[in-house]
Amino acid sequence: MKDISILDNIFEIEENIKSNLNYIIKGRRLDELSDEELILLKELYLLINKQLENRIEFKKKKISDIREKISNIIYNK
Amino acid sequence: MEKKNLNENFIKKLKDTKTVVTHFGDDLDNRSSIYALEKWARENGILEEDETITVERVPAGKVKEGFINLDTGGHIGCREDEETIVIDGNPKEGIKSAIQALVERLNIQVPNQILEIADTMPTKISPFDTRSGLSLQKYTNIENVFEMAKEELLDKELTDEQLEKYGLMEAQKSQQKIVDEAVEKIKKYTKELSNGESVVISPEFIKAGSIIAYEMGINYFASIDAHKSGQGITFAINAKPGKVLPGNVREYGNKLVEQYKNQDGTSGVFVHPNNSMVVAGGPKNPDFKIDMSKEDMINKIDVLFKEYAREDLKKQIEQEDKMKNKLLNENIILDEKENQAKDLEKEVQGLNKKNIDKSIKM
């Protein structure tokens, strides 16, 4: 990863994570970050990925519920 | 050389010299190899009952030409000609230890547990278990160690009766003291690295330090000590079994190997073929020293590990970034699927209402 552009496409993360990322990265490349900043960045990535995983589980459940509803209508349950 | 000639050559060499050459310092591998060879030589009439083999010591990794070299401490494998015989482990070819190479070479019998354990770090034996046969083997003679191995006690806790039988009661107390002191020093010299790992950089020799550090969850153990002459230093950097040393640490070790190369091609600095260890001097090569101050070497090792940790942390972030992209894509696909499911639901609901209306009219 030569530059960090994660802010452009993560629209679902919490505002405070976004502002923390903004604060850490300030448009710099990984090589330009200090060890402490890299540690924080990794922690934030872990948070973001955990949140995205949770969202995936939530969406899967929602789709499964809709499919069940459709099935109930079709078979007149 | 044919097998028959090989054996004749070996027997002749042993009869002529009655000597084996091994590395400085004792470990289970060279102790058991020398003992097994001596026993075999007596049983085969090469040695008289009251004769013993003379043991000569050389720095680890060195070979003394014209002799039988048994466990060089360098894992250099076996080689043999009419003048010199080398019997050593060669992990790259699946020979874990010199005793394994010796057993295969002469077809002699030793307890299986010796073959399993010599020159390896058995994972099921904890160094905190100060009653295990392996922890205590160095306190007793090799005959007792073979007896313990026959009873498969090396990887087990010895009972009070067994400690008494092998005369190891006091030894167990001494071993416990060594472990307690080591834990205290390890805590003092442990440095947390930015990538989440940790390393011990100890400015003094810690008995059993590395194996205890690994058991405490530390991946790397470095120990730097002043040379016995009062000038220069010796050091060792080890990685936990199953791990290798960081690339930049190995690179530095290889640079020192070149820098301290002897005319015969050997070096006072040894980098283990499996990349788990860099060692310069120490018990297996006591005369060797690096011309550097202790502080400079501590700082050098510190910097090497910090650089490694930073690069590793950047790699971890890159992995997490890839994972984030994968999860984002999965989210987008699921959004589409959700929309399709919602559209279908509306359609089915509409069709259902039409059917109900039709039924009422009929």
Side-chain angles (χ1 to χ4, degrees), chain A residues 1 6 10 31 33-35 38-39 42 45-46 49 52 55-56 59 62-63 66 69-70 73, chain B residues 194 310 313-314 316-318 320-321 323-324 327-328 331 334-335 338 341 345 348-349 352:
Chain A
M1 190 173 65
I6 54 172
I10 294 188
D31 286 340
L33 302 184
S34 70
D35 281 3
L38 285 174
I39 292 167
K42 186 188 146 193
Y45 260 110
L46 291 174
N49 287 345
L52 286 171
R55 191 154 282 269
I56 285 168
K59 283 180 185 169
K62 215 167 154 190
I63 292 168
I66 296 170
K69 255 166 127 183
I70 294 170
I73 294 168
Chain B
S194 60
R310 183 177 163 82
L313 180 57
K314 277 157 56 181
Q316 288 179 22
I317 292 173
E318 285 170 3
E320 290 301 325
D321 188 60
M323 175 59 83
K324 176 223 57 182
L327 294 172
L328 271 173
N331 260 281
L334 286 173
D335 280 343
E338 190 185 337
E345 186 189 6
V348 171
Q349 272 173 342
N352 198 37

